[in-house]
Amino acid sequence: MKDLLSAIGKLPPLAQIPIVILLFLAAAALVLFLIEIAPRKGRTYTIIRAVACILIPVAVFLLLGSVWWAAAVAAVLGGVFFVLDYRQKEGTGYLFALAGFLAPAFVLLVIGLVYPTIQTLINSFLSSRGNFIGFDNFVWIFSSENNLVTIRNTIIWVLVVPIVSTAIGLAYAVFIDRSRGERFFKALVFMPMAISFVGASIIFRFIYAYREEGQSQYGLLNQIVVWFGGSPVNWLQQVPLNSFLLMVVLIWVQTGFAMVILSAAIKGVPAEQMEAAQLDGTNAWQRFWNVTIPGISSSLVVVITTISIASLKVFDIVRTMGMAYPDTGVIANDMVSLLQNFETGRSSAFAVILFLLVLPIVIFNARQIQKQREIR
């Protein structure tokens, strides 16, 4: 294998690309061919499977030079073929289809979610040198005033941002519903969703920018203050106002998401219910509370839980705007800072706390979806 890679590496870059692609396609074609013939009946296919069980481990041995790897591949290949061969007698292709559809998702979940979660949990009980220290990392988190401020800020983000974003998005969706120029108004509010959090943070840094009194202000907010005869304020140094000013960035971005989802939900409310409420003599406010809100309750849950999870994971905004300002830390930002300082254990402990904070929201969302399925 090393010889093959070395030989490819000595070729010109333009020649390496088609060779690597051809090798990849050949391997993919072989796998697809084996999957295709695996559940088929007949002596020919049985012979092909038997040959594959011999030739593929031999090829692995020649490429990797390891008997153990060849034996492992032979065992897995033989086991899979045996199970598929046995299963196809009860229903042709059943197990093949089951494994074919579930295997990619299962493998990705294990690699991307299960393994990192277990590894992070283990690391949270280790020191930066890899020694087991029990719950010391968690004790450090809850005994430090700065860490408690970080956790408090994260909780405030989760309480403020989803409620304000959803309220503004809902109000906007109701006001523009079936109005002339509805599409234009929707696009206007939805546009911030196309901007990254870093880009949005830079925009708002210019809005909050500060210069000493007497100098020309290039920050929009301070320029307005000066126009009205006030003195410029260093907004991002004002505690706790600075945290709320950072939240404005996420609210600005997420309002478009809330508006689009809730606008679609409002259009799904049956017109007959609104007409019946009108015939009963209700006013617009009563129709909104008694007809519209119950009709879009499932969408409201989805919007609030989605924005809540986004608020818990917020990192880019604080990293871009709040690093130099007091008391603006959140869990995700401190987690990354600790990791950059090689404090793996403490960083993992923060990650576990973040996971525990997200978990109830995810469970609540899953239960709501299950209830909706039961109703249908």
Side-chain angles (χ1 to χ4, degrees), residues 163-220:
I163 293 173
V164 176
S165 300
T166 307
I168 297 175
L170 176 61
Y172 193 82
V174 171
F175 287 137
I176 66 168
D177 187 45
R178 295 183 175 84
S179 66
R180 183 178 295 177
E182 181 182 348
R183 292 181 181 178
F184 170 76
F185 294 132
K186 279 184 178 177
L188 205 61
V189 174
F190 190 73
M191 271 195 295
M193 281 291 292
I195 303 174
S196 68
F197 286 156
V198 174
S201 304
I202 292 171
I203 291 171
F204 274 83
R205 280 193 71 168
F206 283 111
I207 293 175
Y208 300 147
Y210 164 78
R211 278 182 174 173
E212 297 287 342
E213 191 170 5
Q215 298 181 6
S216 61
Q217 299 295 324
Y218 65 92
L220 176 63

Side-chain angles (χ1 to χ4, degrees), residues 312-327:
L312 274 173
K313 298 187 298 183
V314 69
F315 162 76
D316 320 54
I317 296 170
V318 178
R319 174 65 66 163
T320 307
M321 296 185 65
M323 284 291 288
Y325 304 107
D327 293 350

Side-chain angles (χ1 to χ4, degrees), residues 35-84:
I35 291 175
E36 175 64 23
I37 65 165
R40 293 194 178 187
K41 296 179 181 179
R43 180 179 296 177
T44 306
Y45 296 112
T46 303
I47 294 172
I48 293 174
R49 287 194 287 269
V51 172
C53 287
I54 296 171
L55 292 183
I56 291 178
V58 170
V60 170
F61 174 73
L62 293 175
L63 286 172
L64 301 180
S66 169
V67 177
W68 293 107
W69 272 110
V73 170
V76 172
L77 201 62
V80 170
F81 277 141
F82 170 77
V83 172
L84 290 174

Side-chain angles (χ1 to χ4, degrees), residues 65-299:
S66 169
V67 177
W68 293 107
W69 272 110
V73 170
V76 172
L77 201 62
V80 170
F81 277 141
F82 170 77
V83 172
L84 290 174
D85 228 22
Y86 173 78
R87 187 70 190 182
Q88 57 96 15
K89 295 173 184 174
E90 299 181 2
T92 304
Y94 168 77
L95 192 60
F96 160 70
L98 185 65
F101 281 109
L102 290 182
F106 179 76
V107 171
L108 289 175
L109 275 176
V110 170
I111 295 173
L113 185 63
V114 177
Y115 173 72
T117 302
I118 295 172
Q119 188 63 48
T120 302
L121 189 61
I122 293 171
N123 287 340
S124 67
F125 295 104
L126 303 179
S127 69
S128 58
R129 296 180 179 274
N131 300 320
F132 181 76
I133 55 173
F135 287 91
D136 284 4
N137 289 325
F138 295 95
V139 172
W140 172 77
I141 288 174
F142 289 104
S143 59
S144 166
E145 188 177 347
N146 289 335
N147 294 334
L148 292 177
V149 169
T150 296
I151 296 173
R152 181 204 66 189
N153 286 345
T154 305
I155 294 172
I156 293 175
W157 274 77
V158 177
L159 293 176
V160 173
V161 174
I163 293 173
V164 176
S165 300
T166 307
I168 297 175
L170 176 61
Y172 193 82
V174 171
F175 287 137
I176 66 168
D177 187 45
R178 295 183 175 84
S179 66
R180 183 178 295 177
E182 181 182 348
R183 292 181 181 178
F184 170 76
F185 294 132
K186 279 184 178 177
L188 205 61
V189 174
F190 190 73
M191 271 195 295
M193 281 291 292
I195 303 174
S196 68
F197 286 156
V198 174
S201 304
I202 292 171
I203 291 171
F204 274 83
R205 280 193 71 168
F206 283 111
I207 293 175
Y208 300 147
Y210 164 78
R211 278 182 174 173
E212 297 287 342
E213 191 170 5
Q215 298 181 6
S216 61
Q217 299 295 324
Y218 65 92
L220 176 63
L221 204 53
N222 272 321
Q223 186 60 59
I224 293 172
V225 170
V226 171
W227 281 340
F228 282 94
S231 300
V233 179
N234 194 347
W235 301 102
L236 294 177
Q237 289 286 354
Q238 310 299 315
V239 179
L241 177 64
N242 50 6
S243 288
F244 290 98
L245 291 175
L246 299 189
M247 292 177 204
V248 170
V249 182
L250 189 57
I251 292 170
W252 182 62
V253 174
Q254 294 294 336
T255 297
F257 165 75
M259 180 271 299
V260 169
I261 301 295
L262 296 176
S263 177
I266 288 171
K267 293 186 184 305
V269 176
E272 295 81 6
Q273 291 183 9
M274 300 297 287
E275 291 171 0
Q278 280 181 322
L279 291 174
D280 288 341
T282 57
N283 56 36
W285 184 249
Q286 290 171 327
R287 287 195 297 276
F288 174 73
W289 275 110
N290 299 317
V291 180
T292 304
I293 292 294
I296 63 171
S297 58
S298 58
S299 299

Side-chain angles (χ1 to χ4, degrees), residues 369-376:
I369 293 172
Q370 187 178 3
K371 285 181 181 177
Q372 291 170 21
R373 287 178 179 172
E374 290 172 357
I375 293 172
R376 290 171 185 170

Side-chain angles (χ1 to χ4, degrees), residues 8-24:
I8 295 175
K10 293 177 182 176
L11 297 173
L14 290 178
Q16 292 178 23
I17 295 173
I19 292 175
V20 172
I21 292 174
L22 285 174
L23 290 174
F24 174 77

